[in-house]
Amino acid sequence: MEKVYARTKTFQKEMVSGFCPGCMHGTVFKLIGEVMEELGIVDKTTCVLGVGCCGLAMEYITYDNTTSPHGRACAVATGIKRSTPEAVVYTYQGDGDLASIGLAETMSAANRGENITVIFVNNGIYGMTGGQMAPTTLVGMKATTAPQGRDPKEHGYPMHMCEILNQLTAPYYLERTSCNNPANVNKTKAAIKKAFRNQLDGKGFSMVEIVTSCPTNWGLDPIEALDFLENNMLKEFPLGVVRDKSKEGA
Amino acid sequence: MARVFMKGCEAIAEAAVRSGCRFFAGYPITPQNEIPEYLARRLPEVGGSFVQGESEVASINMVYGAAQTGTRAMTSSSSCGISLMSEGVSFMASARIPMVYVNVQRGGPGIGAIQPAQQDYAQATRASGNGGFRMMVFAPATVQEAVDMTYAAFDYAQRDRNPVLILADGVLGTIMEPVTLPETRSPEDVAQLKAQCRPWALVGHDPEKEARSFIAPGNWDTKKQQQKCIDNAALYESWKADVQVEELYLDDAEVVITAYGVSGRIARSAVQNLRREGLKVGLIRPKTVSPFPYESYEKLDFNRVKAILDVEMSIPAQMVTDVELAVKGRCAIETCLHSGGEIMGRAEIMDAVRKLCR
């Protein structure tokens, strides 16, 4: 019988995922693993994990891995890449990590045009700590620290990181995708591949923002969470390429 | 080798490069700006990288990243900037990543004063971040010592896979003195030093052929985390063999001055003057404040020593806590203190000793 699907060598053989049902971290790490295998870079890649649910992956992946202090992933990646330019370095960060506590590190690495790949997983809530309000929480969406829902008068509005970074000159590639259906999963994989390829070609800062669901902290079952993502998250965070310098002024 | 006339900060920076430092990230703060400024010029000449971080927090984490590849990496700051680095330093102490950083101390607490002080002793020796870790902390009193200690610090850091701190001050950072610079490590030697870190460093591994490098500043498993703390404690204990101290006239001293860094230098000068007056004064000057030279005090004859004078540019006194631990109540301990950027005066130290000799 022909083998048409296999776990990538980027995962530990005996791992059992601790991600919740309906969580998309597993999908995203799988896509990253496929891209790394297809580009033949598994043996020279380092993953810089942010702090949050994504940190569980430290036990799952097989290639070089470090954990940064909360929010500092882009600074840690800067140090790795600058001191060892032949390494392929990517950060994997949630919305609290990248857009709240790590906003300065994210913006500054993007502004310097660091030749790194940033995978930004945006589910609009703090997962690991139990559903607190994130910088990307939707207006009206309930969080354990915004029990009446996000109120713009008190909490402001969701932050759009691709668009914010698009104000800077240096970033090379910024795209927002999702993993809510097979077509979008494929688009996400293509975006991740492009973001890694840009680094291999020395193009500079690339970020893929992936809008995902968090059924556990949204208080929804996985199917309802997909509907919420489609009907609410994607209205606030429209998908598409925000910046692609490879397409500019050819 | 010919002696050169250099400013403390620049001499520290040059010593780092000669020891094989190839990465620096830092953020401007007085009185240590000459370290990053010098390295912004110097590191590219030797194939190294310099990054001006957006903050001390980012800078220490850039160093954290660079050091994880086995690259000799450094940062520097002053007092309140050092506080901002505490998160990254703690991560490095936990993940056991070698790194050297320099605190050119200024007045404190808070933004304090930009002038020299020694207000960060307790932070440096006891709690440079959360989690109860320790580091080797060198306290130079001359530019030459700063050079030699910085050069050696990278070797200690790599030996122990632990951060090492150079606890300098604004006097030492800005003073100019003649120094003999150590030998420059060749590009081959520097590459070799990086290669020696390969067993643990982030250098890329093919999972089908070898185990990955996994830098873990923490553990999900509580037993593993406890074992990490046990292993770290054993490392800290091993530093007893690395104590460095200057001792003067302890054989007949009736009053012993104890001081580190710039205060130690001024105290040394006071001791020489008082000896010419015929007063039986000695000196214990810790050159490592962590590990602290407790043994030096143990050697004293407390039937003869009337008092110890602890001299610091810190109010309240901080090193005195270690002196008390060493003396264990066997003689009086007095203090002579300055702070806020007010430099210690030799005459004051001499007056304080004369009073104790009466």
Side-chain angles (χ1 to χ4, degrees):
Chain A
M1 198 186 287
E2 190 194 358
K3 194 172 191 178
V4 294
Y5 184 83
R7 182 177 275 188
T8 60
K9 66 177 176 182
T10 59
F11 288 106
Q12 308 280 356
K13 287 201 173 63
E14 304 302 324
M15 71 154 273
V16 177
S17 171
F19 295 129
C20 303
C23 169
M24 294 175 185
H25 278 313
T27 310
V28 177
F29 275 109
K30 188 193 81 155
L31 296 178
I32 293 168
E34 288 177 0
V35 165
M36 286 168 62
E37 281 193 344
E38 288 165 20
L39 294 175
I41 55 171
V42 178
D43 62 350
K44 54 178 179 173
T45 298
T46 286
C47 168
V48 181
L49 286 171
V51 169
C53 290
C54 65
L56 292 170
M58 72 174 74
E59 306 282 355
Y60 308 155
I61 60 178
T62 53
Y63 46 99
D64 282 11
N65 171 221
T66 184
T67 306
S68 74
H70 196 20
R72 320 296 173 218
C74 281
V76 173
T78 295
I80 294 170
K81 188 69 182 181
R82 292 271 188 131
S83 63
T84 310
E86 64 273 21
V88 178
V89 185
Y90 81 92
T91 72
Y92 189 111
Q93 304 171 259
D95 36 67
D97 196 90
L98 180 137
S100 182
I101 191 169
L103 188 59
E105 285 78 5
T106 308
M107 294 279 295
S108 299
N111 193 43
R112 289 190 304 267
E114 291 295 339
N115 190 29
I116 59 174
T117 302
V118 173
I119 306 297
F120 168 38
V121 178
N122 173 11
N123 60 13
I125 200 105
Y126 281 74
M128 176 70 84
T129 46
Q132 294 82 5
M133 186 177 63
T136 48
T137 297
L138 303 181
V139 169
M141 192 171 163
K142 286 184 178 170
T144 53
T145 48
Q148 306 305 315
R150 183 174 195 151
D151 176 359
K153 280 189 206 145
E154 199 179 334
H155 310 120
Y157 295 86
M159 289 173 76
H160 302 83
M161 289 309 297
C162 279
E163 288 78 358
I164 287 172
L165 297 189
N166 195 31
Q167 302 304 306
L168 305 172
T169 305
Y172 189 78
Y173 172 57
L174 306 165
E175 180 166 357
R176 186 181 291 117
T177 68
S178 185
C179 284
N180 62 321
N181 59 44
N184 279 343
V185 169
N186 287 337
K187 281 184 190 168
T188 297
K189 182 175 171 183
I192 292 172
K193 197 163 191 173
K194 189 181 264 188
F196 273 95
R197 211 170 243 149
N198 288 341
Q199 184 180 164
L200 293 170
D201 294 342
K203 298 296 188 187
F205 189 91
S206 296
M207 182 175 87
V208 182
E209 174 178 345
I210 307 165
V211 182
T212 65
S213 56
C214 181
T216 301
N217 288 299
W218 289 359
L220 301 172
D221 72 34
I223 302 295
E224 291 169 343
L226 285 176
D227 291 340
F228 183 85
L229 190 153
E230 175 101 36
N231 298 328
N232 298 277
M233 291 287 282
L234 298 188
K235 296 271 186 316
E236 184 69 33
F237 301 107
L239 305 184
V241 175
V242 177
R243 160 89 60 94
D244 187 353
K245 279 195 181 178
S246 71
K247 303 273 170 63
E248 288 172 13
Chain B
M1 193 176 279
R3 301 220 303 164
V4 289
F5 195 55
M6 284 186 95
K7 189 180 258 202
C9 279
E10 296 190 335
I12 286 170
E14 178 59 27
V17 171
R18 286 174 181 241
S19 189
C21 176
R22 291 295 178 270
F23 184 88
F24 182 98
Y27 186 82
I29 183 172
T30 305
Q32 60 83 55
N33 293 312
E34 292 84 352
I35 296 177
E37 285 166 1
Y38 186 92
L39 290 170
R41 296 193 302 272
R42 187 75 172 96
L43 276 173
E45 293 175 1
V46 293
S49 300
F50 170 89
V51 186
Q52 179 172 326
E54 57 271 27
S55 66
E56 288 88 349
V57 176
S59 299
I60 192 72
N61 281 291
M62 290 174 192
V63 170
Y64 180 44
Q68 289 179 47
T69 69
T71 303
R72 291 197 159 189
M74 178 171 114
T75 186
S76 64
S77 190
S78 178
S79 297
C80 40
I82 292 288
S83 292
L84 285 171
M85 292 179 170
S86 59
E87 171 192 65
V89 175
S90 177
F91 268 63
M92 277 184 262
S94 182
R96 294 289 294 274
I97 302 298
M99 179 272 292
V100 174
Y101 71 128
V102 185
N103 181 357
V104 184
Q105 292 177 91
R106 53 190 256 169
I111 200 164
I114 61 170
Q115 292 84 2
Q118 296 181 307
Q119 289 285 144
D120 303 336
Y121 181 93
Q123 180 194 46
T125 59
R126 295 292 194 279
S128 295
N130 68 295
F133 66 90
R134 295 288 174 100
M135 304 176 296
M136 288 189 73
V137 181
F138 289 89
T142 64
V143 175
Q144 186 66 59
E145 276 187 359
V147 162
D148 296 340
M149 288 171 173
T150 302
Y151 193 83
F154 284 92
D155 294 334
Y156 284 113
Q158 186 160 345
R159 181 193 71 179
D160 296 339
R161 290 184 56 190
N162 205 58
V164 174
L165 175 63
I166 307 292
L167 186 63
D169 58 71
V171 173
L172 203 61
T174 52
I175 201 170
M176 289 188 83
E177 286 191 283
V179 286
T180 304
L181 292 166
E183 186 190 342
T184 301
R185 291 203 161 101
S186 68
E188 295 74 28
D189 287 349
V190 174
Q192 181 61 29
L193 287 165
K194 183 168 179 169
Q196 284 167 9
C197 300
R198 202 182 190 290
W200 57 265
L202 298 173
V203 291
H205 293 84
D206 183 344
E208 287 173 334
K209 293 181 187 147
E210 52 187 350
R212 64 170 172 164
S213 287
F214 174 37
I215 306 293
N219 282 290
W220 299 112
D221 181 330
T222 52
K223 288 213 161 37
K224 276 190 193 166
Q225 185 61 23
Q226 175 167 277
Q227 189 58 48
K228 179 195 281 283
C229 292
I230 291 169
D231 295 344
N232 288 350
L235 170 69
Y236 309 155
E237 196 64 24
S238 76
W239 293 336
K240 278 181 180 162
D242 297 314
V243 167
Q244 293 180 23
V245 60
E246 181 184 16
E247 299 169 350
L248 278 181
Y249 310 118
L250 299 186
D251 290 345
D252 66 346
E254 291 171 7
V255 171
V256 174
I257 305 179
T258 191
Y260 78 96
V262 66
S263 293
R265 177 182 183 145
I266 298 163
R268 190 181 201 282
S269 170
V271 167
Q272 302 294 11
N273 280 7
L274 289 163
R275 278 272 155 182
R276 282 192 279 275
E277 290 178 17
L279 294 178
K280 292 193 169 167
V281 190
L283 177 74
I284 297 176
R285 179 173 72 86
K287 291 158 76 173
T288 53
V289 287
S290 168
F292 191 79
Y294 295 107
E295 280 300 311
S296 297
Y297 303 83
E298 206 52 49
K299 285 187 287 194
L300 298 177
D301 178 355
F302 287 100
N303 294 318
R304 187 183 66 241
V305 174
K306 289 185 219 170
I308 288 179
L309 182 68
D310 174 86
V311 178
E312 298 183 52
M313 276 156 54
S314 170
I315 299 173
Q318 297 182 51
M319 188 179 82
V320 75
T321 305
D322 275 322
V323 178
E324 285 164 354
L325 282 172
V327 170
K328 301 188 188 88
R330 288 172 286 184
C331 75
I333 299 170
E334 302 294 335
T335 57
C336 177
L337 309 175
H338 268 206
S339 187
E342 287 291 308
I343 311 291
M344 181 60 62
R346 182 175 60 187
E348 277 167 76
I349 301 175
M350 290 171 66
D351 282 347
V353 171
R354 286 189 199 106
K355 270 184 212 154
L356 290 170
C357 285
R358 264 182 223 139

